[in-house]
Amino acid sequence: MAPLFCPRFFLTMISASHIQSLAELHLEGSTGFLVDVRVSDGNAISILLDDDEGTSIQKCIALSRHLESALNRDEEDFSLDVSSPGLDQPLKL
């Protein structure tokens, strides 16, 4: 009987606490703050960002770029969504 070929994909799970630490480091000294950080199956990272002075798309982009540069795609495949909470989100803070 011939052995079955089974490709192995090793996916490193990214922890929400690691993402939170990276995001808080970026936000330190600013008026921005995290509302929620989630990492679901397949390393789908979802971050809700708010700011006392109003959340802009530029602030979301800056945080996204900071996280992209801090994570290594060669070691961990992930998707990243940084947004501000909308009316469809429950009040958390």
Side-chain angles (χ1 to χ4, degrees):
M1 178 179 221
L4 295 174
F5 176 75
C6 179
R8 294 184 183 183
F9 297 99
F10 296 101
L11 182 63
T12 304
M13 187 65 177
I14 300 171
S15 73
S17 62
H18 178 63
I19 298 301
Q20 182 173 344
S21 296
L22 292 171
E24 287 174 347
L25 178 66
H26 174 76
L27 295 170
E28 192 172 283
S30 75
T31 56
F33 57 93
L34 296 174
V35 175
D36 195 23
V37 175
R38 294 183 187 193
V39 180
S40 59
D41 291 340
N43 285 334
I45 304 166
S46 176
I47 297 174
L48 291 179
L49 172 67
D50 208 347
D51 195 300
D52 290 335
E53 297 176 355
T55 305
S56 67
I57 188 72
Q58 289 79 14
K59 292 176 184 178
C60 292
I61 290 170
L63 177 57
S64 178
R65 287 183 177 161
H66 171 77
L67 293 171
E68 285 270 351
S69 69
L71 298 172
N72 185 347
R73 284 204 181 267
D74 292 335
E75 294 177 9
E76 43 206 18
D77 190 26
F78 59 91
S79 65
L80 177 60
D81 177 40
V82 178
S83 61
S84 62
L87 292 176
D88 61 333
Q89 300 290 325
L91 187 60
K92 295 196 178 198
L93 299 175

